[in-house]
Amino acid sequence: MRDHCQRPLICPICRTSLQGYGKTWRCLAGHSFDVAREGYVNLLLSRKKLAATVGDTAVMLQARRRFLASGAYDGLCAAVNQVAAECLTGVSGSPTAVLDAGCGEGYYINQVRRFLEDDVGMTVCTFGTDVAKAAIKLAAKQYPSAQFLVADTNRFIPCADQSIHLLLNMFAPRHPAEFVRVLAPGGYLLVVIPGTEHLAQFRAEFNLLDMEVEKRARVMAQFTPHLALHAERPLTFPLTLTNQQLNDLVQMMPSARHLTPAQQQALQSAPAFTTFAQFHLLLFREP
Ligand SMILES: C[S@@+](CC[C@H](N)C(=O)[O-])C[C@H]1O[C@@H](n2cnc3c(N)ncnc32)[C@H](O)[C@@H]1O
Ligand SMILES: [Zn+2]
């Protein structure tokens, strides 16, 4: 990580700034955190208190990595990159900081970093947090240009007040008070959620759970007391999935834990299948 990129990060115990000293980070009060071999830092204070089902499992993470790497969601990635470039053009903060809260295995934050730096020519500091250590480990190993941290969104985002210019939150838990606290003045929050018709044909064919109908309304209710909806971008694109892609897609879903043997059998032998991806990109900003 570039030295100045450490500036937004704070200690989960006393909230003073964290500074890197080789293999250890220390805050101003002397609390210390080891840098793992892969370059990430675990800022969770009490892993034991988290339920075993919190965070994605290794199987889910590998399925997600394969699925995203296959390019199936490139349409979403391009839309997120575009929004990021529009939000950050003209930002004068130093460093310009982008955080992906609930980043999983790091695909999107790395794509945003690559796009902003290589295609737009910006210099940005990129961070990813996730409660699953296995996810952060995979992310740090594959994408050394971003800084990854194990942290629980529901408790504490390890960033200073008003330090983040763009906060991404894609299909992951949201914590309005923390998100608002870390957003820089004029900063943006981009929440990406699936639409009610997301993968509808695929869900019907394999008898998978329906999407939550009220999700968009719930996100709006969570954030509009604090932030204004600045822009909304509905996104729909066709997806023709190979057998490997559709099995990976199912493994990425929480419902994978509840598949019946008949569903597993049908998925394993399924031929290529065409469906639609549908997302809402909700961009919030201080009113
Ligand atoms: C559906 S995945 C999305 C991952 C990534 N944003 C993506 O789109 O590829 C949800 C992610 O949220 C993480 N997660 C679940 N609870 C969390 C929490 N309390 N704090 C931070 N991350 C959490 C999971 O470990 C998982 O990586
Ligand atoms: Zn401290």
Side-chain angles (χ1 to χ4, degrees):
M1 180 174 56
R2 304 182 191 108
D3 281 353
H4 74 284
C5 284
Q6 201 151 19
R7 253 182 259 156
L9 299 175
I10 58 172
C11 170
I13 301 168
C14 68
R15 304 196 171 207
T16 61
S17 8
L18 279 172
Q19 283 164 16
Y21 298 98
K23 296 245 166 276
T24 308
W25 287 4
R26 260 184 242 295
C27 73
L28 300 181
H31 301 120
S32 66
F33 303 89
D34 292 339
V35 180
R37 191 158 33 96
E38 297 81 2
Y40 70 90
V41 178
N42 189 343
L43 296 176
L44 262 192
L45 296 178
S46 49
R47 175 76 209 170
K48 273 182 270 166
K49 289 189 195 145
L50 290 171
T53 50
V54 172
D56 279 6
T57 62
V59 170
M60 291 165 85
L61 288 164
Q62 289 297 351
R64 181 174 294 282
R65 173 153 280 185
R66 276 192 304 271
F67 182 80
L68 293 175
S70 77
Y73 279 2
D74 278 2
L76 172 59
C77 200
V80 169
N81 287 347
Q82 203 55 51
V83 171
E86 285 164 21
C87 290
L88 296 174
T89 299
V91 160
S92 54
S94 171
T96 300
V98 184
L99 166 69
D100 186 355
C103 65
E105 52 74 54
Y107 182 81
Y108 292 107
I109 189 65
N110 183 63
Q111 288 293 328
V112 165
R113 183 204 59 73
R114 192 204 52 70
F115 181 74
L116 293 174
E117 297 206 331
D118 299 352
D119 296 1
V120 183
M122 288 179 182
T123 303
V124 286
C125 296
T126 43
F127 306 94
T129 54
D130 201 286
V131 78
K133 187 171 137 186
I136 289 299
K137 202 173 188 166
L138 272 183
K141 222 170 173 171
Q142 181 102 353
Y143 308 120
S145 301
Q147 179 63 55
F148 292 97
L149 307 145
V150 185
D152 182 353
T153 299
N154 292 333
R155 297 182 184 202
F156 170 69
I157 303 270
C159 297
D161 295 2
Q162 304 194 335
S163 61
I164 300 297
H165 300 88
L166 174 62
L167 202 168
L168 298 177
N169 176 252
M170 304 183 61
F171 320 113
R174 298 169 288 276
H175 187 160
E178 274 297 90
F179 286 7
V180 170
R181 178 183 69 76
V182 302
L183 271 191
Y188 293 90
L189 164 67
L190 178 62
V191 178
V192 182
I193 53 171
T196 46
E197 294 304 308
H198 183 50
L199 309 174
Q201 304 80 355
F202 176 64
R203 287 171 194 281
E205 177 75 15
F206 295 99
N207 212 6
L208 301 169
L209 294 181
D210 286 340
M211 296 310 302
E212 180 191 336
V213 177
E214 300 298 329
K215 196 160 200 138
R216 183 188 170 284
R218 207 152 53 82
V219 172
M220 289 298 289
Q222 272 185 312
F223 289 104
T224 45
H226 316 276
L227 301 170
L229 183 67
H230 178 78
E232 173 163 10
R233 177 156 177 197
L235 182 68
T236 303
F237 53 86
L239 273 181
T240 296
L241 301 167
T242 62
N243 176 273
Q244 176 76 58
Q245 285 173 316
L246 60 87
N247 277 283
D248 284 340
L249 188 54
V250 169
Q251 286 303 324
M252 286 159 55
M253 299 173 177
S255 56
R257 301 180 209 225
H258 312 292
L259 289 179
T260 64
Q263 280 173 305
Q264 288 173 7
Q265 176 69 42
L267 283 158
Q268 273 160 22
S269 55
F273 191 91
T274 299
T275 184
F276 281 85
Q278 188 201 37
F279 305 105
H280 293 284
L281 278 67
L282 302 169
L283 186 64
F284 296 93
R285 199 182 195 195
E286 275 180 10

